[in-house]
Amino acid sequence: MKRNILIHPDPRLKKICAPVADITDALRALADDMLETMYDAPGIGLAAPQLGVTDRLIVLDCVKEEGAAPRSLVMFNPVVLSSSDETNVYEEGCLSIPEQYGEVTRPKVVDVEWMDRDGNAQRETFDELWATCVQHEIDHLQGKLFIDYLKPLRRQMITRKMQKLKREMARG
Ligand code: K1U
Ligand code: ZN
């Protein structure tokens, strides 16, 4: 089932999420909903707090090439084990901050560990867009948004635009 994505500013996007102890059928269903919501948006990632859920769960699929096979990843309790010194700059967006973009510098390569939907531990090294996206999604679990990396004035401008958008959406 497709769900609504929270729009910034919203206190639920600022919460620190709790680790998942057991992967229940309800959590697997939430992961399925997150993938459906992400593909529908469309986006390349999504974190549980964007749906108002404070569990440490993210999904991503950064395959962008037309006709290429999708690669959806579901990560419970993802942790960055190590990061490269080399950095990468990417103009990031966020489904909770529609149509706003900003350059963010992050480690180019990250080694990430997580639990998959069957409760098995997984570990993989991510590069380029996958590395950017997985770090962006893990930031969401700490209540951090990409605009928190921007200059205060730019962040304030984007927040005001989002407040206006939310007022317009509420009016219908
Ligand atoms: O977390 C989110 O809100 C999803 C976000 C992920 C992300 C984008 C860019 C850099 C880092 C993380 C998005 O998916 S925004 C939409 C987007 O980037 C996109 C949409 C369609 C095709 C390709 C990209
Ligand atoms: Zn985001």
Side-chain angles (χ1 to χ4, degrees), residues 5 38 41-47 50 59 62-64 90-97 101 106 129 132-137 140 146:
I5 298 174
M38 177 190 81
I44 54 172
L46 195 68
Q50 294 180 276
V59 299
C62 299
V63 175
K64 290 206 300 187
Y90 193 85
E91 184 156 56
E92 297 192 14
C94 182
L95 297 173
S96 294
I97 311 174
Y101 305 91
R106 299 183 188 269
L129 182 58
T132 295
C133 187
V134 76
Q135 291 175 84
H136 174 118
E137 300 311 331
H140 271 298
F146 84 86

Side-chain angles (χ1 to χ4, degrees), residues 10-74:
D10 187 305
R12 290 168 288 181
L13 290 169
K14 302 307 294 173
K15 292 235 166 87
I16 294 185
C17 297
V20 170
D22 293 308
I23 300 173
T24 59
D25 284 345
L27 282 169
R28 277 186 274 270
L30 170 64
D32 289 339
D33 286 355
M34 286 171 62
L35 283 169
E36 190 177 336
T37 305
M38 177 190 81
Y39 284 121
D40 178 79
I44 54 172
L46 195 68
Q50 294 180 276
L51 303 184
V53 179
T54 52
D55 290 321
R56 298 191 80 82
L57 167 61
I58 64 173
V59 299
L60 57 159
D61 183 348
C62 299
V63 175
K64 290 206 300 187
E65 299 80 27
E66 277 275 311
R71 182 179 186 228
S72 56
L73 290 180
V74 172

